[in-house]
Structure formats: C-alpha cells, structure tokens
Amino acid sequence: MTRALLIEDEPEGLANLTNLLHKHCPEVEIVATGGSNADLLRLTEGERCRDYDVAFLDINLPDGLVFRGLEKMPEIPFDIVFVTAYDQYALTAFDFAAIDYVLKPIEADDLRRAVNRSRSNRSNTYTKARVELLQQNYATRPPQSLDKIGIAGLDGVHFVRLNEIVRLEAEDNYTHFLLSSGQRITASKTIKAYEDILRPLNFVRVHKKHIVNMRFMKTYIKGEGGYLKLENGETIEVSRRKKAPLLDAMRQIYGEI
C-alpha cells in the first residue's frame, strides 16, 4: 500500500480528492488529512513524517503558501504531489523542479499517473532540494528568469544551471543532457517534454534528435538543412524542417542574419 497524507483547506476539494483516490487508486491508504500549514507540521512532527509515502498538498492554504510549512521541516522523507489550479508560470516552475502536480479539477488519469510516479520514487532522497528549487522558481516571473533545472535522471535528481547545458539528445523515450563539463545525464522523459519547457529560454529544436542551447552555437553552415558547429567542437545536423525555426530563433536573439 501507498500511505498518503492529504492537505487541502476546502472541504469539497478534500472530499473530492479522497473519493477519487478510493475509486481510482485503491492501493493508496489515506493515513491523515489536514487543511493548513499548521496541520502539515503537526502531522509530520518528529518520526510521524515517516508515516507517509506521499503527500498531496494544496499550495494556497489559509495560513500561507504550503512552502511556509515545508521549509520548516528538517527533512521530507516522502514524495510530494502538488494539487493546484492552472497557472502557466507555476507549471513551468513544477517542470523545472522535476516535481509532480495534478491540476484542479482533478482528472482520474492524471491522479493515477501521479500515484504511479510516486510509487517509482520510493527511494528518492531529493525531495527537500526539489521543493527548495520549486519555491525559488515559483516566485520567479517570467520563466525567462529561471536559471536552474531539476533533471530526473535514472540515478536521481540532478540540479543543473541552464548555462551549463550544451545540448539535449533523444534516444527513444529517454533524453540525454550533455553538459559543458562533459557530464552526461540521462532523463526518463521524451525530448518533446523538454522542448516545451526550454523553448522560451534560448534552446532550439534543430532535429528530431537534438535540442541546442543557443549560447553554445559557434557557426551555422547553410545547406538543405545545414549543420551547427558548437563551442565544444561538436557538429549537429539541422533537419530541413527545423531550418526555418532555427533561423527565426537566431534573428530574435542576434537580429537580421
């Protein structure tokens, strides 16, 4: 069984989440519920924090954002799924912190996915750092101001500055991050997911297999699609379909070319 803590200040919202978990995620046992940061701290005090495998947390609580309670916890030994209303900036912050969320009104499929991801993260020891990055990014608007991303790799969560990422390379349902240090991090997300996250931050998709950080572009060699030479000496093919978007992105940053 997956032992769950629910923090939701609206009685209807709490009842709805409880019913959805009972109906669609019978492997989840609801151990405790509350509706404030004070409840969160009371229910996780001392060794009680180890009573849970996952916590479903509303962000806006009567006594402040839920981060107020989380930052007072010396450790967070359970996984977290945030329950939130739609906010594009907030969703970007979640993605950058590699942390899960479900949107209100809650859909059964989204809830099941979040529960399944939580079950696969049972050995995760990075929740505190992910929450700290989320809190930092949640207050940062617009998303162009974000400077660090959490990458859920196969061996844990890596926190990387955007200006250290040279490029991303797709391999089936995985994405390899190639860093300026030479380090390679493999993430269990498709490159499409990262394309949407990184597009506003001067990363450009130049091929079905490649996303490039434009900070590391050195030379563009024209051709049917052409290719890029990067600062680290690598050569990356540009597909014919991606040539026009690449040139548009270059014009936005460097002016007419």
Side-chain angles (χ1 to χ4, degrees), residues 9 34 57 88 116 136 141 189 205 208 215 220:
D9 66 307
L57 307 179
Q88 184 59 57
N116 289 336
Q136 172 189 329
R141 301 177 182 228
K189 275 187 178 181
R205 184 85 174 262
K208 66 180 181 180
R215 299 172 183 86
Y220 171 60

Side-chain angles (χ1 to χ4, degrees), residues 19-75:
N19 291 336
L20 286 170
L21 286 170
H22 284 322
K23 182 176 181 180
H24 300 286
C25 306
E27 73 276 19
V28 174
E29 175 190 4
I30 299 173
V31 177
T33 65
S36 65
N37 280 296
D39 288 341
L40 172 63
L41 291 172
R42 174 177 56 84
L43 293 168
T44 59
E45 186 176 10
E47 287 301 310
R48 293 193 68 181
C49 67
R50 303 192 184 280
D51 291 345
Y52 318 106
D53 300 307
V54 61
F56 291 87
L57 307 179
D58 190 8
I59 291 183
N60 295 294
L61 298 173
D63 51 357
L65 295 178
V66 73
F67 304 124
R68 179 178 297 181
L70 290 171
E71 67 185 2
K72 293 180 180 179
M73 296 175 60
E75 61 173 331

Side-chain angles (χ1 to χ4, degrees), residues 10-22 105-107 111:
E10 296 181 1
E12 289 184 3
L14 180 60
N16 181 55
L17 178 56
T18 299
N19 291 336
L20 286 170
L21 286 170
H22 284 322
I106 301 171
E107 298 287 342
L111 188 60

Side-chain angles (χ1 to χ4, degrees), residues 42-216:
R42 174 177 56 84
L43 293 168
T44 59
E45 186 176 10
E47 287 301 310
R48 293 193 68 181
C49 67
R50 303 192 184 280
D51 291 345
Y52 318 106
D53 300 307
V54 61
F56 291 87
L57 307 179
D58 190 8
I59 291 183
N60 295 294
L61 298 173
D63 51 357
L65 295 178
V66 73
F67 304 124
R68 179 178 297 181
L70 290 171
E71 67 185 2
K72 293 180 180 179
M73 296 175 60
E75 61 173 331
I76 305 175
F78 45 79
D79 200 20
I80 289 177
V81 177
F82 287 99
V83 182
T84 181
Y86 179 85
D87 179 332
Q88 184 59 57
Y89 291 118
L91 302 193
T92 299
F94 286 122
D95 286 330
F96 267 67
I99 205 162
D100 288 326
Y101 61 89
V102 290
L103 290 174
K104 296 179 181 180
I106 301 171
E107 298 287 342
D109 287 345
D110 294 337
L111 188 60
R112 277 194 294 264
R113 275 194 295 271
V115 168
N116 289 336
R117 284 194 295 262
S118 171
R119 289 165 65 88
S120 68
N121 286 340
R122 286 288 177 83
S123 61
N124 179 21
T125 58
Y126 299 90
T127 301
K128 185 74 172 177
R130 291 158 72 190
V131 168
E132 289 172 354
L133 180 59
L134 172 61
Q135 183 178 9
Q136 172 189 329
N137 289 347
Y138 190 85
T140 302
R141 301 177 182 228
Q144 286 87 340
S145 303
L146 305 180
D147 69 348
K148 186 180 285 189
I149 187 171
I151 302 169
L154 301 179
D155 57 345
V157 180
H158 301 260
F159 300 96
V160 177
R161 295 195 180 280
L162 294 172
N163 61 12
E164 297 174 355
I165 302 171
V166 177
R167 64 182 181 89
L168 290 72
E169 181 176 326
E171 183 179 356
D172 299 323
N173 290 325
Y174 297 93
T175 301
H176 304 295
F177 282 75
L178 292 306
L179 308 186
S180 56
S181 64
Q183 183 182 4
R184 177 188 178 105
I185 300 171
T186 298
S188 52
K189 275 187 178 181
T190 66
I191 199 168
K192 173 60 178 173
Y194 289 111
E195 179 184 10
D196 295 338
I197 295 170
L198 295 172
R199 184 184 294 113
L201 298 159
N202 296 337
F203 285 76
V204 60
R205 184 85 174 262
V206 300
H207 189 276
K208 66 180 181 180
K209 290 188 63 175
H210 302 292
I211 293 175
V212 172
N213 184 344
M214 297 184 69
R215 299 172 183 86
F216 289 93

